[in-house]
Amino acid sequence: MSAKKLFLKPIVAASLLTVTFSLPLQAQETEDGGFPPDLPGMLEALKQADDPQAAKLADEIALRWEQSGSAAMDLLLKRAKDAAQRGDLDVAVDHLTALTDHAPDFAEGWHLRASVYFQKEQPGLALHDLEMTLHLNPNHFRALFGLGVILEQLDKPELAHEAYTLALRIYPHYEEAKAALARLTPDAKGREL
């Protein structure tokens, strides 16, 4: 299989996300001024939060995404994270493969496995899992950032630029995405004709 065919689906998925992010989310304010209790409200609040509050809210959203609703699946996720932190990437992949097999609609299992595949220098597998993550959760700003990193490494700066831009539409204070976008902007714009 050629490299172009290997990476076609994730690249198409990244392009299609532009349409997804044009739909507004409904914000819900809490009476005490805290974070909204629902994810759509939290995501809308993230767009309007100031920098210190945005980082805290982004972490809260990420914690919500890690909750599968099943104690067994949460245990697999924890074991995979622990293995990855120890550097035992093969064990992490095994746990995450079991997780994605048993809970294929749980986006965070795919996202974490993409991260592990990236660490194992297997970008094709990482792109596949990011595609699955974004299919299940198109607001996953960390998956969009990861997509940008991989596309940048594959020397596709225009597509990486688009992925970082989409991440910033969801999380405007995402410092890593801002830095990547600033670094890529001259290269991506320099290729336009």
Side-chain angles (χ1 to χ4, degrees):
M1 178 179 285
S2 74
K4 285 185 180 181
K5 288 183 181 178
L6 180 64
F7 299 119
L8 181 61
K9 289 175 74 177
I11 292 168
V12 171
S15 299
L16 293 176
L17 289 174
T18 304
V19 175
T20 303
F21 292 110
S22 65
L23 303 172
L25 295 171
Q26 299 299 316
Q28 295 181 5
E29 296 180 21
T30 60
E31 291 179 14
D32 64 0
F35 297 143
D38 64 320
L39 275 171
M42 291 172 77
L43 287 163
E44 185 61 31
L46 184 62
K47 290 180 182 179
Q48 300 167 16
D50 61 18
D51 196 13
Q53 183 187 27
K56 184 177 176 183
L57 186 53
D59 289 342
E60 177 70 25
I61 290 168
L63 286 174
R64 295 269 184 106
W65 285 340
E66 290 181 4
Q67 298 170 2
S68 70
S70 163
M73 297 306 107
D74 290 346
L75 181 60
L76 280 172
L77 185 69
K78 182 187 180 324
R79 287 182 176 171
K81 288 173 78 172
D82 291 346
Q85 287 178 345
R86 287 191 314 268
D88 199 346
L89 301 181
D90 291 332
V91 170
V93 166
D94 290 344
H95 287 305
L96 292 165
T97 298
L99 177 58
T100 56
D101 286 348
H102 293 291
D105 293 334
F106 180 46
E108 198 56 31
W110 295 100
H111 177 247
L112 185 55
R113 195 171 72 170
S115 298
V116 174
Y117 279 141
F118 178 76
Q119 291 175 53
K120 288 174 60 86
E121 298 181 4
Q122 296 177 316
L125 294 172
L127 283 170
H128 171 268
D129 284 3
L130 288 173
E131 179 182 11
M132 292 300 298
T133 303
L134 292 167
H135 172 75
L136 295 166
N137 181 0
N139 291 306
H140 203 303
F141 47 85
R142 290 181 176 169
L144 284 165
F145 178 78
L147 179 63
V149 168
I150 293 172
L151 291 170
E152 192 173 351
Q153 287 186 350
L154 294 173
D155 197 29
K156 302 206 177 289
E158 296 88 357
L159 292 169
H161 188 278
E162 183 177 349
Y164 295 137
T165 300
L166 291 171
L168 285 168
R169 283 187 193 163
I170 301 164
Y171 179 11
H173 291 286
Y174 197 170
E175 292 304 319
E176 293 89 346
K178 280 197 231 182
L181 196 60
R183 180 183 67 250
L184 267 184
T185 297
D187 191 32
K189 288 188 175 180
R191 294 185 184 198
E192 292 178 5
L193 295 177

